[in-house]
Amino acid sequence: MRTSATRVLAGHGPVVTYGLIVLCCAVFVLSPASGLNPAYGTGDTLLAAQRAFFARWGVIPAELLSGAPRAAITPVTALFVHGSWLHLLGNMLFLYVFGGMVEERLGHLQFAVFYVGCGALALFVYALANAGSEQTLVGASGAISAVLGAFLKLFPKARVTSLLPFLFFLPLRFPAWVVLPFWVALQWLASRREESGPGVAYLAHLAGFALGFLYAWGRYAREDRPGSRTTKVKGPAGHRAPATEGDSQP
């Protein structure tokens, strides 16, 4: 996807967005999840290290809702843990495409709090819906879904270019108010088929998107009223979002 809009430059670029991407990539590469760190061994030893890593830093709904002190911080730590290269790269691409403009509008510190807060709440909502599950949930999808929700509210007319597989990857440009609700519909349909226990956490995607949209709506509702002062915001200078295949999961 690629976004474009007429904006006025503010701040010094999306330093928080870039920092989050670097942090998630560093955690993945250095952890046993990537399989690149020789300190974790190979074969069964590596698999055991991966299971222990995910269990330590990911959300396990049953443990989180039991009030276990060790599990209390996992809705935050799980945002920086990814289960595979595809999982990591897909999430980071969506964050890169949409995060910069949202950060420029919210401000660096507020964006950081928004990202972590909405992401943690989205994972907690998912845990509530799967209270008895002992499977582990990791990934930044809930937080990135919140970024998509905020983007829809803040930049509904921004053009989003998507490569659609069923149209032979023909690039088509649509406004965000068309593309992102379509993405939400895909998540909702997938969540209806979701089996018990964490897998792809479609409910966390939906919760994050709703939280992000509602936050942006509440934060800027007054500015959107007729006659109120508004501030035009431009994404970071030189920030060009790459084109990629549309995906049902952020």
Side-chain angles (χ1 to χ4, degrees):
M1 294 183 180
R2 181 163 53 192
T3 60
S4 62
T6 302
R7 308 176 296 273
V8 176
L9 180 62
H12 302 285
V15 294
V16 175
T17 297
Y18 293 157
L20 289 169
I21 292 172
V22 170
L23 179 58
C24 287
C25 290
V27 168
F28 182 78
V29 170
L30 296 175
S31 76
S34 68
L36 297 178
N37 192 334
Y40 296 104
T42 60
D44 291 341
T45 301
L46 176 60
L47 291 176
Q50 290 174 342
R51 287 193 293 268
F53 177 74
F54 295 142
R56 175 64 183 86
W57 302 110
V59 170
I60 301 176
E63 290 188 7
L64 177 63
L65 299 178
S66 72
R70 183 182 67 83
I73 64 169
T74 57
V76 173
T77 59
L79 298 177
F80 303 97
V81 177
H82 291 82
S84 68
W85 284 99
L86 183 61
H87 188 202
L88 172 72
L89 296 176
N91 276 347
M92 294 305 99
L93 179 58
F94 271 76
L95 179 56
Y96 174 75
V97 169
F98 294 98
M101 288 175 63
V102 175
E103 179 182 344
E104 288 295 325
R105 184 68 185 271
L106 297 183
H108 305 310
L109 179 59
Q110 189 173 106
F111 178 76
V113 175
F114 161 82
Y115 180 91
V116 174
C118 287
L121 283 173
L123 294 181
F124 188 77
V125 168
Y126 186 84
L128 286 175
N130 296 273
S133 175
E134 295 184 354
Q135 297 187 53
T136 306
L137 178 64
V138 298
S141 298
I144 295 170
S145 296
V147 172
L148 299 183
F151 188 95
L152 176 61
K153 177 63 181 73
L154 298 174
F155 309 103
K157 296 181 180 180
R159 308 297 292 183
V160 178
T161 302
S162 299
L163 302 180
L164 304 178
F166 56 85
L167 291 179
F168 303 100
F169 299 100
L170 179 68
L172 299 175
R173 292 173 61 81
F174 300 100
W177 65 265
V178 172
V179 175
L180 294 180
F182 178 72
W183 175 85
V184 171
L186 292 178
Q187 304 305 298
W188 182 80
L189 290 173
S191 71
R192 302 275 291 182
R193 300 192 304 267
E194 192 171 21
E195 297 179 357
S196 177
V200 177
Y202 296 108
L203 179 58
H205 299 174
L206 293 170
F209 189 92
L211 288 167
F213 185 89
L214 290 174
Y215 177 86
W217 178 79
R219 173 70 176 78
Y220 293 100
R222 184 175 180 180
E223 292 185 9
D224 292 340
R225 295 172 185 169
S228 64
R229 296 181 61 185
T230 59
T231 303
K232 292 183 178 180
V233 180
K234 182 183 183 300
H239 178 74
R240 295 182 179 179
T244 184
E245 177 185 345
D247 195 328
S248 65
Q249 177 185 354

